[in-house]
Amino acid sequence: AAAGGGRSGTAAEWGGFEDNMQGGGSAVIDMENMDDTSGSSFEDMGEMHQRMKEEEEEEEGEAGAAEEEDGEFLGMKGLRGQLGRQVADQMWQVGKRQASRAFSLYANIDILRPYFDVEPVQVRARLLESMIPVKMINFPQKIAGELYGPLMLVFTLVAILLHGMKTSDTIIREGTLMGTAIGTCFGYWLGVSSFIYFLAYLCNAQITMVQMLSLLGYGLFGHCITLFVTYNIHFHSLFYIFWLGVGGLSTLRMVAVLVSRTVGHTQRLILCGTLAALHMLFLLYLHFAYHKVVEGILDTLEGPNMPPFQRVARDIPVVSNAVLNTTAKAIALTL
């Protein structure tokens, strides 16, 4: 009964479904169309999916090839970029070194500036002090650590030597020989200062190189006075008076300063004796031997002094006059 009831229910439902199908044919057609459309859409989706997958694979392959090509290109480009950076770094280093040299030069000039920063009043006072020996040698005497005054004195001594060569009987060729005078004066100032500083170091004297240059430079003030006077007034007795008086005072000043800065009698004797001998002998050399040495150097380099070539009118002999007169008469008779 249950089965029969189930079948009857199913048959009733089936009958109703058939009635509906017969009554609504358009609905069945629509369902069939819908089923066909749904099937075709699934197939289209599969084809589209397959096509998209193939396109993705193609794109991946093309992307891989492009990446390889880009990698090779970027490798060359990276190499060129690295070379460019190296060249730029080298140029930067060269410019940096040049700039550092310029700044270091300015820094060196800035370091030397305090040694030339002095007032004219101070220079005048130190010039006068260079002629007055100190009496107190029990404690170190103060030395001016500036180079303006000594440098000007060296140039003044150069000018005085050139003036003495003009006023003497020395024949000057090739200009005024300023190079010889500059070499002599600067050579003495720098050379003797370095030598005395070396001796002071050995003798344990408390003095620096700049102080030694300043001390010896101001010591040349006596030489300038002595040579300027004796080049214009040519008396040997006057020179010896100035040599012992003016030159001796400036030498005693330097000796006293060195004595006050040196400990030990032997060290003082060696250091001060050497300085005094060199300073006084240099003044004798400038007065007596400098011009002769310069003239000897000129003779060695250019040969001895020869008088300039001059044309002298010569007398015509009497025989030549007679020949000329006879020739003139013969020509006159012929004409």
Side-chain angles (χ1 to χ4, degrees):
R7 288 174 183 173
S8 62
T10 305
E13 291 177 358
W14 183 254
F17 178 74
E18 287 179 354
D19 293 337
N20 292 329
M21 289 294 294
Q22 291 177 0
S26 60
V28 174
I29 295 171
D30 291 336
M31 290 294 293
E32 290 178 356
N33 293 333
M34 183 180 68
D35 292 339
D36 294 338
T37 304
S38 63
S40 63
S41 63
F42 283 122
E43 292 176 358
D44 294 339
M45 289 295 293
E47 291 177 0
M48 291 175 62
H49 180 71
Q50 185 68 24
R51 192 179 298 112
M52 290 176 62
K53 187 175 181 181
E54 291 176 359
E55 290 178 356
E56 288 179 358
E57 291 177 357
E58 291 178 358
E59 290 178 357
E60 288 179 358
E62 293 177 357
E67 287 180 358
E68 291 179 359
E69 294 179 357
D70 292 341
E72 295 178 357
F73 176 74
L74 288 174
M76 294 298 296
K77 187 176 181 181
L79 181 60
R80 294 176 182 175
Q82 186 177 2
L83 292 175
R85 285 194 297 271
Q86 290 179 357
V87 173
D89 292 338
Q90 291 180 359
M91 294 178 64
W92 170 258
Q93 293 296 331
V94 171
K96 185 178 179 181
R97 282 196 295 268
Q98 292 179 354
S100 62
R101 288 177 183 175
F103 283 116
S104 63
L105 179 62
Y106 179 77
N108 293 332
I109 295 174
D110 198 28
I111 290 172
L112 294 175
R113 186 179 301 170
Y115 300 110
F116 295 90
D117 188 11
V118 61
E119 297 294 333
V121 178
Q122 295 176 349
V123 175
R124 183 181 60 187
R126 288 165 185 170
L127 288 175
L128 295 176
E129 290 176 357
S130 66
M131 303 296 297
I132 303 173
V134 295
K135 298 179 180 179
M136 302 295 294
I137 59 175
N138 295 327
F139 58 91
Q141 296 293 323
K142 184 178 179 181
I143 301 176
E146 54 94 5
L147 300 176
Y148 176 77
L151 188 63
M152 293 299 104
L153 283 172
V154 173
F155 281 117
T156 304
L157 185 60
V158 170
I160 292 173
L161 289 179
L162 296 177
H163 173 70
M165 293 175 69
K166 290 181 179 180
T167 56
S168 64
D169 296 332
T170 304
I171 299 175
I172 302 174
R173 298 187 299 273
E174 298 295 333
T176 58
L177 297 179
M178 184 178 292
T180 306
I182 291 176
T184 302
C185 297
F186 275 93
Y188 171 78
W189 181 43
L190 298 175
V192 174
S193 298
S194 302
F195 180 68
I196 297 300
Y197 174 73
F198 176 71
L199 286 180
Y201 177 77
L202 295 179
C203 297
N204 198 18
Q206 303 298 323
I207 190 171
T208 62
M209 185 63 187
V210 176
Q211 290 176 342
M212 190 66 233
L213 288 171
S214 179
L215 183 65
L216 186 62
Y218 278 110
L220 293 174
F221 181 58
H223 288 37
C224 293
I225 295 175
T226 302
L227 293 176
F228 181 74
V229 174
T230 56
Y231 279 162
N232 294 289
I233 304 175
H234 300 283
F235 290 107
H236 291 296
S237 58
L238 181 65
F239 168 75
Y240 286 117
I241 292 173
F242 274 84
W243 179 66
L244 290 175
V246 180
L249 287 176
S250 62
T251 305
L252 284 177
R253 168 75 181 188
M254 293 189 296
V255 168
V257 172
L258 286 179
V259 167
S260 66
R261 289 175 170 266
T262 308
V263 179
H265 297 287
T266 305
Q267 291 84 350
R268 289 177 177 178
L269 181 62
I270 294 173
L271 184 61
C272 299
T274 304
L275 177 60
L278 290 174
H279 202 63
M280 298 298 287
L281 289 175
F282 181 65
L283 184 55
L284 287 174
Y285 166 76
L286 292 179
H287 182 77
F288 290 106
Y290 175 71
H291 296 163
K292 294 181 180 179
V293 170
V294 172
E295 190 173 1
I297 293 173
L298 290 175
D299 292 339
T300 303
L301 297 177
E302 302 177 2
N305 296 331
M306 298 294 294
F309 178 75
Q310 296 179 356
R311 294 184 178 180
V312 181
R314 295 179 296 176
D315 296 332
I316 300 176
V318 179
V319 177
S320 60
N321 289 332
V323 171
L324 290 174
N325 292 331
T326 304
T327 304
K329 289 179 181 180
I331 293 172
L333 292 174
T334 303
L335 295 174

